[in-house]
Amino acid sequence: MAVNVCWVLIVLQALLVVLFAVYVRYEDNYDAMKYPLFQDIHVMLFVGFGFLMSFLKRYGFSSVGFTLLLASCIIQWAMLCQGFARLDDDYKIRMGIVSVYKADIAAGVILISTGAVLGRVSLMQLIAMGFLETVVYCINLHLGSEVLRAIDAGGSMFVHVFGAYFGLSVSIVIERTNNADASDEISLRTSNYSSDLFAMIGTLFLWLYWPSFNAVDLTGAEQQRAIINTYLSLAACCVLSFACSILTDNDKKLDMMHVQNATLAGGVAIGAVAGILKQPWVAVVIGSLAGIISVLGYAKLMPILETNFRLYDTCGVHNLHGMPGLLASVASAVIVGVTSETGPPDSLYQDLPGMNSSSDSRALKANLSVFGARKAGEQAGYQIAALTLTMTMAVIGGAITGKLYTG
Amino acid sequence: MAVNVCWVLIVLQALLVVLFAVYVRYEDNYDAMKYPLFQDIHVMLFVGFGFLMSFLKRYGFSSVGFTLLLASCIIQWAMLCQGFARLDDDYKIRMGIVSVYKADIAAGVILISTGAVLGRVSLMQLIAMGFLETVVYCINLHLGSEVLRAIDAGGSMFVHVFGAYFGLSVSIVIERTNNADASDEISLRTSNYSSDLFAMIGTLFLWLYWPSFNAVDLTGAEQQRAIINTYLSLAACCVLSFACSILTDNDKKLDMMHVQNATLAGGVAIGAVAGILKQPWVAVVIGSLAGIISVLGYAKLMPILETNFRLYDTCGVHNLHGMPGLLASVASAVIVGVTSETGPPDSLYQDLPGMNSSSDSRALKANLSVFGARKAGEQAGYQIAALTLTMTMAVIGGAITGKLYTG
Amino acid sequence: MAVNVCWVLIVLQALLVVLFAVYVRYEDNYDAMKYPLFQDIHVMLFVGFGFLMSFLKRYGFSSVGFTLLLASCIIQWAMLCQGFARLDDDYKIRMGIVSVYKADIAAGVILISTGAVLGRVSLMQLIAMGFLETVVYCINLHLGSEVLRAIDAGGSMFVHVFGAYFGLSVSIVIERTNNADASDEISLRTSNYSSDLFAMIGTLFLWLYWPSFNAVDLTGAEQQRAIINTYLSLAACCVLSFACSILTDNDKKLDMMHVQNATLAGGVAIGAVAGILKQPWVAVVIGSLAGIISVLGYAKLMPILETNFRLYDTCGVHNLHGMPGLLASVASAVIVGVTSETGPPDSLYQDLPGMNSSSDSRALKANLSVFGARKAGEQAGYQIAALTLTMTMAVIGGAITGKLYTG
C-alpha cells in the first residue's frame, strides 16, 4: 500500500463528507424487525468474505484487512448512489435501516468482483474498480428491478451474476497485457492447515446467515419461505458438493476449496425465487444442482479456462457466484413460466399471503405485477431480459474498468 | 472418505427430495420474533460444535467440515421425522420457522453422540448412526413431551442426556470388538496452541448463544427467565470450572479441555427448568454444581472409565452433556416437587405470567397440566419417568447401532 | 493461576449466591426486541475483547480464557451493584433483559481497564480490581446520568473514558514501585501471523456489532439514528486509520495494531451523541477524526508516554478508548451547545420523534430535560461536568486500586 493510496483515501473521504452534508438526512420511520437481519448480512460481508479469502496463505491478513477497508469506502459511496436513484421532493436522500443493508449488499458485489482479481491488482486499482462498479451496479439494479420488474429477492442476478462477470471481465482484460507467468497466478492459491481453518470461519458465517441475505427485503409468509428455501438449498448443496468433490478428485480426496466455496452455491442458486417458491422440494433440487455445478466448475472448468483462455479467477467466483447465479436466473424464468396464476393450491407459484402486507420489496412489487398486468409466460421473458441486461452491463463495465487499468 | 460414501450421500439426497415432494409444504403463519433465536442456535450448531471439536489437532479441519456435512444431512431428515409426528389433515407436513430450529436441535443431538465416538468410527458409520438416532430421538421426544408431558424447555433430558448416553452406548459396544490399543484412543486427544484457540471460538459461541437455545420454545416472561437463568448458570459454572480445574490438577495448572468444555455445563444443567424457575439464585447454584461435576468428570471419572471399563469418550460428552443433564433432570423433579401451586409469591415455582400467552410450547403445555390436573408431587414423578424413558431409549438405541457396526 | 485464587473465586461465588438469594427476583415485563441487541453486545464482550487481546502471542489463550472468567465474575457482581441503585419498594432487585445488557456493559468497562495492565498484574489483582472498579463505575454512572443528566447513550464517557483512565491510573501507580525493565514491558506486545488473524476476529465482531452497543438503550427513530451514525462513524474511521497508519510509519507499512484497534475508535467517538445527532455527515467527520487521533496515539504519543513517563498501556486503551472518548465528550458538548430547541428542521439536534415513546433510556431522560427545564448551553455545561466527574472518579479510583496492589 503506497503513500499515494493514502492521499487518495483521504481525499475520497473528504468528498464523501461534502456529499453527505449536502444530500443525506435521516428518515423517521424505522422497521426494527429488519435490524437483526441487517446484522447477519453485516457479518457475512466482513467476517464471511474477509475470512473466506484468507485461505490464500500469502494474503491471510491482507484479505481480512483490505475487505474491511474496501467495504468501508464502498458502503458510504453506495448509500449515495442508491439514494440518488430515489431523491425526496426536497432533493435530499432519506436514510434508514433499509439504506444500510442495501449499502452492505452493494459492497458485497464489489467483494465478489475482488475475488476474481485478488493478488493481481493493486489496492489503488481495487478502490478505483469499487467506485466505478458501484455506479454500474446501481444503474443495472434500477433498470432490472424497477423498469423490467424482474423477481430477484436474493440478488442472484443483480448481485451474484453481476459481481462475478464484472470481475471476470476485468480479469481477462488485465491478463491480455500482463506478462506474468501462468504458474505464478496459480501459485497464489496455496493454503495451509491454519489458513484453511480460518477460511472455514468465513464459509460458516456465510452459510449460516445466507437465509437473512435472501429474506431481508421480504415480510410475512414470503420471508419465512425465503428463509427455509435458502436453508434447504444450502443443506442439499453441501451434501452434493462433498460427494462430488471426492468423485471428481483423481486421488478421491476432499478438496478444501470445494468445502469452503461450493457448499455456498446453494444460497446463490435459490436467491431469485427464494420468496415465491412454495414447494420446498424444488429448493432441495436447486441446491443439489448448484453443488454439482459449482464443484464441476472448480474441478473441471477452471483449469480449462486458465490454460486455454488465460482467464484467471483467484477465488473461483465463476464457480461460486457466476454459474450458480445463471442457474438461479434460468430457474426463476422456468418457475415463473410454468406457473399459472389460477393454478391449483399446490402449484409452485401462487397467490402469496404476504401480498397484502405493507412491504415495498422489489420482489413483491414484481409479484403484484405478475398477478396484475403480466401473464406468467410474460414474466418469464422479463426474467431472461433482466439476466441479459445484467450480463451485458457486467461484461462491458468490467472490460472498460480493465482497460482503464492497462491504459 | 471413500467413494462409496459419496454414492450413499447422493442416493440419500435423492430419497429426501422424493419425500419432500410428497409430504412437505409451507405454513403461512410466521413468528418473525423467533428468527433471531433460530440464527443463534444455527451458529451454535455449526460454528459451536464444529470448532469445539477442532481441539483435536489431527481432526481440526475434519471436525468443522464433517459437522457441516453431517448436520446438513440430518436437518433434512429431522424435518421429515418430526413432521410425521404431526401430519396435517391432508397428510402433509406444514413447515415453518419452528420446524427449522427443531431440525437444528435434532442435528445437535447427533453431534453430541458424534463427540463420544469421533476418530474411532468412519464417516459412513456416522451417517448411519445419524439417520437411525434421529428416529429414536423423535420417538423419545414425542413420548416424553406429549405423552408424559415432562417439563424440559432446554432439552436437558431429551437432547443432552439422550445424545450423550446414545453415543456412549455406541462407544462401549464398538470397543468390545475393537483391538486397538488404549493409548491410541487417548492420543487422539492431543491439541496444540493454535487448535486450542480455534476450539475457543466454538466454546464462546456455544456459551454466548445458549440462552437462545433454552428460551426459543418459550414466550413472554417465561422466555425472559429462561434467558437470564441460563446466563447466570453459565457465568457461575464458568467461575467454578476454572477454580476446580486448577484444584484437581496435579501441577495446579489450568486444563484447556476444562476451559473449553466444562464452562458450558451450566447451560445443560439449567435447561429443564430455565423457563419456570423464578428464583435467580437457584440458577447460580445449579450452574456452580454443573461446573464442579463436569470438571470432576473430566479429571477423575473419565480416566477410570477408560482404563477400567474401556469406555472411551473422545470429547468427554459424558462430562459436558451426560452428567449435567442428569443434574438438570433431578433438579427439575425437586423444583417441581417442592413447589405448591398455592405457595407464597416467592415460591420457586408458581403461576406463570406467560401462561396466558398463545404459545404452544412444550413447557407451557406441561405447566398448564401441573396447575390443571396434576399435583406438584405428581409432576415430579413424571419428570423422573421421562428421564428413565430417555436413558433406556438412548442406551438400547445406541447398543443396537453399535451392534450393527460390529455385527 | 495459583491455588489461593481458586479459593477466592469459590468464596466470592458463594457470597454472590447469598446476595442473589436475598435480593434478586425476576421482572415480568419483557421487551423481546432488546434481546438480539443484547446478544450482539454479548458477542462483543466475550469474542470481541477476548480475541482482540489475543494479538499478544504469549497471552493468546489466556486473554480469551481470562476474559471469560473475569467477565463471568463481574456480570454477576454488576447486576447486584446496579440493582442496589434502584431497589423496589420491597427492597428487592427486579431483574430483566435490561439488567443483563447493563451487566455486560459493566464487565466491558473492567475489560477496558484490564487492557491497560494485561501481562503486568496477576489474575488475583485483576479480580480485585474488577470488583472494586465495578462499584466506582456504578456510582459514577448514577451521578452522571441520573444527577447531572448528561447525554451519553453509547457510554463514551461513562464506559470508555472511565475504563481507560481507571486502568491507566492503576498502570502508572504500579510502575512507580516496579523495577522491571522497560523493554520487558514492551516486548509483551509481540504478535505473529496467526495471532494477528485471531485478533482480527475480535476486531471484526467489535466493529460489526458496535451499532447495537450504542443503540441498545434507545427506541424508534432515535435507535435508528444511533445505529446509522455508528455505522458511518466506524466506516470513516476505518478509512482514515488505514491511511494514517501508513503515513505515520517510517517504512510506509501498515501497522497491524492500528488495523486491529484504531479502526474501532469511531464507535467510541460517536457514542455520546449517536442517538441525538440528526446530520449523518457529522458522524462521518467525528469518525474520521477518531481514526486520526487513535493512530497518532499509537504511533506518536504512546512511545513518548512509555519512555518519558513510564506509563505503560499494554493494549493501547488510551488510544482506542481514552482519547476517542474525550473527543466524544467534547463533541457532545459542542453539538448540544450549538443547537437551539427552536432551531430550523435541519439543525443538528432537534425535537426527537422517539421522545413520545415509553423508553426510559438515560439519553431520553436527559433529552427531555434539555427541552424541558434546561437550555442548550446549560446542557453543554452539564456534559463537561459529567466528563470532569468521570475523569476524577477514574483517576482517583485507579490510583487507590494501584496503591492497594503495591501495599
Side-chain angles (χ1 to χ4, degrees):
Chain A
M1 199 165 141
V3 170
N4 55 347
V5 185
C6 301
W7 292 111
V8 168
L9 288 172
I10 291 168
V11 170
L12 281 174
Q13 189 61 61
L15 282 174
L16 288 167
V17 168
V18 173
L19 289 168
F20 268 80
V22 176
Y23 289 109
V24 185
R25 299 296 177 271
Y26 281 119
E27 210 174 293
D28 287 338
N29 294 326
Y30 173 44
D31 181 358
M33 298 295 291
K34 298 281 189 208
Y35 183 63
L37 284 87
F38 153 66
Q39 275 295 3
D40 295 350
I41 295 170
H42 212 36
V43 171
M44 289 175 77
L45 187 65
F46 289 90
V47 176
F49 276 107
F51 278 97
L52 183 59
M53 295 198 247
S54 74
F55 82 97
L56 300 165
K57 194 179 57 186
R58 272 164 49 193
Y59 284 83
F61 194 86
S62 306
S63 66
V64 177
F66 288 166
T67 296
L68 180 59
L69 174 60
L70 191 59
S72 290
C73 294
I74 299 301
I75 53 181
Q76 298 177 67
W77 178 235
M79 276 179 165
L80 290 163
C81 292
Q82 300 194 334
F84 285 131
R86 47 169 89 189
L87 284 175
D88 246 5
D89 296 339
D90 58 353
Y91 297 100
K92 301 293 180 204
I93 294 166
R94 297 285 157 199
M95 203 163 58
I97 189 75
V98 175
S99 326
V100 176
Y101 71 72
K102 283 191 189 297
D104 265 26
I105 292 172
V109 174
I110 277 63
L111 293 181
I112 292 169
S113 303
T114 301
V117 295
L118 193 70
R120 291 179 292 129
V121 296
S122 68
L123 182 61
M124 183 80 104
Q125 288 177 314
L126 281 182
I127 293 167
M129 180 182 87
F131 275 78
L132 215 75
E133 184 175 355
T134 305
V135 177
V136 188
Y137 162 74
C138 290
I139 295 170
N140 182 59
L141 178 63
H142 185 80
L143 293 176
S145 63
E146 306 290 326
V147 179
L148 297 178
R149 289 177 298 159
I151 296 174
D152 190 17
S156 299
M157 283 184 258
F158 304 137
V159 171
H160 297 286
V161 167
F162 181 85
Y165 289 99
F166 193 103
L168 291 170
S169 183
V170 172
S171 175
I172 209 161
V173 170
I174 59 175
E175 282 304 324
R176 294 283 168 268
T177 55
N178 190 342
N179 295 316
D181 188 17
S183 62
D184 245 38
E185 315 285 348
I186 296 165
S187 76
L188 270 174
R189 227 176 272 137
T190 50
S191 67
N192 65 13
Y193 187 84
S194 175
S195 75
D196 271 332
L197 259 176
F198 279 115
M200 281 306 289
I201 296 174
T203 300
L204 285 179
F205 279 104
L206 285 166
W207 199 89
L208 293 168
Y209 287 148
W210 211 296
S212 298
F213 189 90
N214 286 350
V216 69
D217 247 0
L218 309 172
T219 52
E222 213 184 359
Q223 184 175 76
Q224 177 161 274
R225 284 198 302 272
I227 289 166
I228 307 181
N229 279 330
T230 308
Y231 176 90
L232 288 172
S233 177
L234 283 163
C237 175
C238 179
V239 173
L240 266 293
S241 55
F242 269 82
C244 293
S245 176
I246 291 172
L247 291 177
T248 56
D249 192 79
N250 292 330
D251 308 327
K252 305 299 167 204
K253 286 177 68 181
L254 199 60
D255 186 317
M256 293 301 117
M257 206 171 179
H258 301 169
V259 175
Q260 287 155 5
N261 292 277
T263 49
L264 297 166
V268 175
I270 198 68
V273 296
I276 56 167
L277 185 64
K278 296 199 88 172
Q279 296 275 20
W281 70 270
V282 179
V284 179
V285 171
I286 289 177
S288 305
L289 291 176
I292 295 168
I293 287 174
S294 188
V295 168
L296 289 179
Y298 277 103
K300 304 294 175 196
L301 186 60
M302 199 156 76
I304 296 174
L305 294 177
E306 282 174 353
T307 48
N308 296 2
F309 299 91
R310 285 180 66 81
L311 173 50
Y312 296 103
D313 178 4
T314 316
C315 300
V317 299
H318 188 230
N319 313 305
L320 169 49
H321 303 276
M323 291 192 298
L326 294 179
L327 170 63
S329 313
V330 173
S332 78
V334 171
I335 288 170
V336 169
V338 299
T339 306
S340 157
E341 54 271 46
T342 55
D346 270 342
S347 69
L348 284 170
Y349 175 64
Q350 55 187 199
D351 75 306
L352 301 165
M355 272 175 62
N356 301 319
S357 82
S358 61
S359 158
D360 63 347
S361 69
R362 293 195 307 267
L364 192 56
K365 276 199 226 146
N367 290 339
L368 284 167
S369 74
V370 174
F371 297 100
R374 285 185 190 166
K375 301 239 178 278
E378 208 179 335
Q379 180 65 30
Y382 278 99
Q383 296 294 115
I384 296 300
L387 173 65
T388 313
L389 171 75
T390 301
M391 288 288 290
T392 313
M393 298 281 278
V395 170
I396 294 176
I400 292 170
T401 307
K403 273 286 170 213
L404 291 180
Y405 287 176
T406 54
Chain B
M1 199 166 141
V3 170
N4 54 347
V5 184
C6 301
W7 291 110
V8 168
L9 288 172
I10 291 169
V11 171
L12 281 174
Q13 189 61 61
L15 281 173
L16 288 168
V17 167
V18 173
L19 289 168
F20 268 80
V22 176
Y23 288 108
V24 186
R25 299 295 177 272
Y26 282 118
E27 211 174 291
D28 287 338
N29 294 326
Y30 172 46
D31 181 358
M33 297 295 289
K34 299 281 189 208
Y35 183 64
L37 284 89
F38 152 67
Q39 275 295 3
D40 294 350
I41 295 170
H42 211 36
V43 171
M44 289 175 77
L45 187 65
F46 289 90
V47 175
F49 277 106
F51 277 97
L52 184 59
M53 295 198 247
S54 75
F55 81 98
L56 301 165
K57 194 180 57 188
R58 273 164 48 193
Y59 285 82
F61 194 87
S62 304
S63 67
V64 178
F66 289 166
T67 296
L68 181 59
L69 174 60
L70 191 59
S72 289
C73 294
I74 298 301
I75 52 182
Q76 298 178 66
W77 177 234
M79 276 179 163
L80 290 164
C81 293
Q82 300 194 335
F84 286 131
R86 48 170 88 191
L87 284 175
D88 245 3
D89 297 339
D90 59 352
Y91 297 99
K92 300 292 181 205
I93 295 166
R94 295 285 157 201
M95 203 162 59
I97 188 76
V98 175
S99 326
V100 175
Y101 72 72
K102 283 189 189 300
D104 265 26
I105 292 172
V109 174
I110 277 61
L111 293 181
I112 292 169
S113 303
T114 301
V117 295
L118 193 69
R120 291 179 292 129
V121 296
S122 67
L123 181 62
M124 183 79 105
Q125 288 177 314
L126 281 182
I127 293 167
M129 181 181 87
F131 275 78
L132 215 74
E133 184 176 356
T134 304
V135 176
V136 187
Y137 162 74
C138 289
I139 295 171
N140 182 59
L141 178 63
H142 185 80
L143 293 176
S145 64
E146 304 291 325
V147 179
L148 297 179
R149 288 177 300 159
I151 296 174
D152 191 16
S156 299
M157 284 184 257
F158 304 137
V159 172
H160 297 287
V161 167
F162 182 86
Y165 289 100
F166 194 103
L168 291 169
S169 184
V170 172
S171 175
I172 209 161
V173 170
I174 59 175
E175 281 305 323
R176 294 281 169 270
T177 53
N178 190 341
N179 296 316
D181 189 17
S183 62
D184 244 39
E185 314 285 347
I186 296 165
S187 76
L188 271 174
R189 228 176 270 136
T190 49
S191 67
N192 65 14
Y193 186 85
S194 174
S195 75
D196 272 331
L197 259 177
F198 279 116
M200 281 306 288
I201 297 174
T203 299
L204 286 179
F205 279 105
L206 285 167
W207 198 90
L208 293 167
Y209 287 149
W210 211 298
S212 298
F213 189 89
N214 286 349
V216 69
D217 247 1
L218 310 171
T219 52
E222 213 184 359
Q223 183 175 77
Q224 177 162 272
R225 283 199 302 273
I227 288 166
I228 307 181
N229 279 328
T230 308
Y231 176 90
L232 288 172
S233 178
L234 284 163
C237 175
C238 178
V239 174
L240 265 294
S241 55
F242 269 82
C244 292
S245 176
I246 291 172
L247 292 178
T248 56
D249 192 80
N250 292 331
D251 308 327
K252 306 299 166 204
K253 286 177 68 181
L254 199 61
D255 186 318
M256 294 300 116
M257 207 171 178
H258 301 168
V259 175
Q260 287 154 5
N261 291 277
T263 49
L264 297 166
V268 176
I270 199 67
V273 296
I276 57 167
L277 185 63
K278 296 199 87 171
Q279 295 275 20
W281 69 271
V282 179
V284 180
V285 171
I286 290 176
S288 304
L289 291 176
I292 296 169
I293 288 174
S294 188
V295 169
L296 290 178
Y298 277 103
K300 304 295 176 195
L301 186 60
M302 200 155 76
I304 296 174
L305 294 177
E306 281 175 353
T307 48
N308 296 3
F309 298 91
R310 285 181 67 82
L311 173 49
Y312 296 104
D313 179 2
T314 316
C315 299
V317 298
H318 189 230
N319 314 304
L320 170 48
H321 302 277
M323 291 191 298
L326 294 179
L327 170 63
S329 312
V330 173
S332 77
V334 172
I335 287 170
V336 168
V338 298
T339 306
S340 156
E341 53 271 45
T342 56
D346 270 344
S347 68
L348 285 169
Y349 175 63
Q350 55 185 201
D351 75 306
L352 301 165
M355 274 175 62
N356 302 318
S357 81
S358 60
S359 158
D360 62 347
S361 69
R362 293 195 306 268
L364 193 56
K365 276 197 227 149
N367 290 339
L368 283 167
S369 72
V370 174
F371 296 100
R374 286 184 189 168
K375 302 240 178 274
E378 209 180 333
Q379 180 66 31
Y382 279 100
Q383 296 293 114
I384 297 300
L387 174 64
T388 313
L389 171 75
T390 300
M391 287 288 289
T392 313
M393 299 281 279
V395 170
I396 294 176
I400 292 170
T401 307
K403 273 287 169 215
L404 291 180
Y405 288 176
T406 55
Chain C
M1 199 166 142
V3 170
N4 54 348
V5 185
C6 301
W7 292 110
V8 167
L9 288 172
I10 291 169
V11 170
L12 280 174
Q13 189 60 62
L15 282 173
L16 288 168
V17 167
V18 173
L19 289 168
F20 268 80
V22 176
Y23 289 109
V24 186
R25 300 294 177 273
Y26 281 118
E27 210 175 292
D28 286 339
N29 294 326
Y30 173 45
D31 181 358
M33 297 296 289
K34 297 282 188 208
Y35 183 64
L37 283 88
F38 153 67
Q39 275 295 3
D40 294 350
I41 295 170
H42 211 36
V43 171
M44 288 174 78
L45 187 65
F46 289 90
V47 176
F49 277 106
F51 278 97
L52 184 59
M53 296 199 247
S54 75
F55 81 98
L56 301 165
K57 193 180 57 186
R58 272 163 49 192
Y59 285 82
F61 194 85
S62 305
S63 68
V64 177
F66 290 166
T67 296
L68 181 58
L69 174 60
L70 191 59
S72 290
C73 294
I74 298 302
I75 53 181
Q76 298 178 65
W77 177 234
M79 276 179 164
L80 289 163
C81 293
Q82 300 194 334
F84 286 131
R86 49 169 88 191
L87 284 175
D88 245 5
D89 297 338
D90 58 353
Y91 297 99
K92 300 293 180 205
I93 294 166
R94 297 283 156 200
M95 203 162 59
I97 188 76
V98 175
S99 325
V100 175
Y101 72 72
K102 283 190 188 299
D104 265 27
I105 291 171
V109 174
I110 277 62
L111 294 181
I112 291 168
S113 303
T114 300
V117 296
L118 193 70
R120 291 179 292 130
V121 296
S122 67
L123 181 61
M124 183 79 104
Q125 288 177 314
L126 281 183
I127 293 167
M129 181 182 88
F131 275 78
L132 215 74
E133 184 176 356
T134 304
V135 177
V136 188
Y137 162 73
C138 290
I139 295 170
N140 182 60
L141 178 63
H142 185 81
L143 293 176
S145 63
E146 305 291 324
V147 179
L148 297 178
R149 288 177 299 159
I151 296 174
D152 190 16
S156 299
M157 284 183 258
F158 304 138
V159 171
H160 297 287
V161 168
F162 182 86
Y165 288 100
F166 193 103
L168 291 169
S169 183
V170 172
S171 174
I172 209 161
V173 170
I174 59 174
E175 281 305 324
R176 294 283 168 268
T177 55
N178 190 340
N179 295 317
D181 189 17
S183 63
D184 244 40
E185 314 286 348
I186 296 165
S187 75
L188 271 174
R189 228 175 272 137
T190 50
S191 67
N192 64 15
Y193 187 84
S194 176
S195 74
D196 271 333
L197 258 177
F198 279 115
M200 282 305 290
I201 297 175
T203 300
L204 286 179
F205 279 104
L206 285 167
W207 199 90
L208 293 168
Y209 287 149
W210 211 297
S212 298
F213 188 90
N214 285 350
V216 69
D217 248 0
L218 310 171
T219 52
E222 213 185 358
Q223 183 174 77
Q224 177 161 274
R225 284 199 302 272
I227 288 166
I228 307 181
N229 279 329
T230 308
Y231 176 91
L232 287 172
S233 178
L234 284 164
C237 175
C238 177
V239 174
L240 264 293
S241 55
F242 269 83
C244 292
S245 175
I246 291 172
L247 291 178
T248 57
D249 191 80
N250 291 331
D251 308 328
K252 306 299 165 203
K253 286 177 68 181
L254 199 60
D255 186 317
M256 294 299 117
M257 206 171 179
H258 302 168
V259 175
Q260 286 154 5
N261 291 277
T263 48
L264 298 166
V268 176
I270 199 67
V273 297
I276 57 167
L277 186 63
K278 296 198 86 171
Q279 295 275 21
W281 69 272
V282 180
V284 180
V285 171
I286 290 177
S288 304
L289 291 176
I292 296 168
I293 288 175
S294 188
V295 168
L296 289 179
Y298 277 103
K300 303 296 176 194
L301 186 60
M302 200 156 77
I304 296 173
L305 294 177
E306 281 174 354
T307 48
N308 296 2
F309 299 91
R310 286 181 66 82
L311 173 51
Y312 296 103
D313 178 3
T314 316
C315 299
V317 299
H318 188 230
N319 313 305
L320 170 48
H321 303 277
M323 291 192 299
L326 295 180
L327 170 63
S329 313
V330 174
S332 76
V334 171
I335 288 169
V336 169
V338 299
T339 307
S340 156
E341 53 272 44
T342 55
D346 270 343
S347 68
L348 284 170
Y349 175 63
Q350 55 185 199
D351 74 306
L352 302 164
M355 274 174 61
N356 301 319
S357 82
S358 60
S359 160
D360 63 347
S361 70
R362 292 193 309 266
L364 193 55
K365 276 198 226 147
N367 290 340
L368 284 167
S369 74
V370 174
F371 296 100
R374 286 184 189 167
K375 300 241 179 275
E378 208 179 334
Q379 180 65 31
Y382 279 100
Q383 296 294 115
I384 297 300
L387 174 64
T388 313
L389 172 74
T390 300
M391 287 288 289
T392 313
M393 298 282 277
V395 169
I396 294 177
I400 292 171
T401 307
K403 273 287 170 212
L404 290 181
Y405 288 177
T406 56

